Amino acid sequence: MPREITAFSNTLVKRVRSLRDKKHRKAEGLFLAEGLRILTEAREAGRLPDYLFFAADSAKHSLVLALVEAVEAAGGEAIQTSHDILSKLSGKDNPQAVVGVFPEFTTPLDALDRSTASIWLVAERLRDPGNLGTILRTGDAVGAGGLILIDDCVDPFSVEAVRASMGALFTVPIAQARWDEFLPWLRSGPGQLVGLSLQTDHNYRGASYQAPTFLLTGNEAQGLPDAYEAECDLLVKLPMLGKADSLNAAVATAVMAYEVLAHHRR
């Protein structure tokens, strides 16, 4: 049976609240996810939290009951609490009805099977957690095999990135690697490396994409380093017909991913 916590001074509440900071997440190997939809997606993907906090007035909701039962059956702990404590955990004035504490997870680069998908997303030095979360959502939408984070990217387990992913964090495999690890792995098997760049005349609509396509997006402010662009099999750009010189990194990735998907289907 779930226990009840109502005190802000509770040791577990303080510990879970600290997971909003990267230092404590890394020390504990744990991260926060909030919201019934996201936690239900996690459950359906086979991932359950070590701790599940839920509001007392949501205890009879069928999806909350399903989460509680699944967490307790897996050896985790379900905890009934107040909206005030949920607000403290999530950092939001209007908190979601459930907050989960999950073990961090990533997929080793060598464990990725490139034959499982025709599209793979690769992000280099991505700094904005909202962009990372949105790119994960795009990966889920187009059936990408995974997202490979290159060099020093933002933490995919930050509260902001998890929230922006809308559950895709649990459905799209994530690998992390340095460039000098990724490139030999890529070249050890089939795969076309396609970079988004302003330093090319190749329009994204007229290019030929070979499966599996590894779609490489660079840093939001600086784009891809010249040395990385030189290693790409193909560089493409999106036409900019207004005064802006580039699109948001997540938007550009989404446009490109759907173009690659359409090309493969043709």
Side-chain angles (χ1 to χ4, degrees), residues 1-3 48-52 54 64-80:
M1 293 292 293
R3 65 164 159 152
L48 292 167
D50 289 350
Y51 298 99
L52 172 70
F54 63 96
V64 174
L65 287 172
L67 280 168
V68 170
E69 291 174 2
V71 167
E72 293 184 333
E77 185 174 7
I79 299 160
Q80 183 172 294

Side-chain angles (χ1 to χ4, degrees), residues 15-27:
R15 178 186 171 202
V16 172
R17 176 66 180 84
S18 74
L19 297 177
R20 294 182 56 78
D21 297 326
K22 183 177 181 179
K23 177 180 70 174
H24 294 289
R25 284 199 304 275
K26 295 309 175 187

Side-chain angles (χ1 to χ4, degrees), residues 129-184:
N131 281 339
L132 193 153
T134 301
I135 288 174
L136 279 170
R137 289 182 70 184
T138 295
D140 182 89
V142 301
L147 170 62
I148 303 171
L149 301 175
I150 301 296
D151 297 337
D152 298 319
C153 285
V154 65
D155 182 7
F157 300 109
S158 70
V159 172
E160 296 81 7
V162 175
R163 187 179 294 151
S165 80
M166 291 298 292
L169 176 78
F170 299 102
T171 62
V172 179
I174 300 174
Q176 296 175 299
R178 310 300 299 183
W179 179 255
D180 59 6
E181 298 169 331
F182 166 71
L183 197 59

Side-chain angles (χ1 to χ4, degrees), residues 220-265:
E220 292 95 338
Q222 301 170 343
L224 293 170
D226 291 343
Y228 292 18
E229 289 194 353
E231 295 288 353
C232 291
D233 301 305
L234 174 66
L235 293 175
V236 296
K237 70 177 180 180
L238 302 172
M240 303 300 298
L241 305 182
K243 293 184 178 180
D245 60 1
S246 65
L247 286 175
N248 167 275
V251 173
T253 299
V255 172
M256 280 298 310
Y258 273 99
E259 177 64 20
V260 170
L261 180 64
H263 185 90
H264 288 170
R265 289 181 170 178

Side-chain angles (χ1 to χ4, degrees), residues 74-106:
E77 185 174 7
I79 299 160
Q80 183 172 294
T81 191
S82 66
H83 282 281
D84 286 341
I85 288 181
L86 288 174
S87 179
K88 183 178 181 67
L89 298 181
S90 68
K92 296 172 65 177
D93 292 335
N94 297 304
Q96 300 280 347
V98 291
V99 173
V101 180
F102 290 82
E104 289 190 357
F105 55 88
T106 55

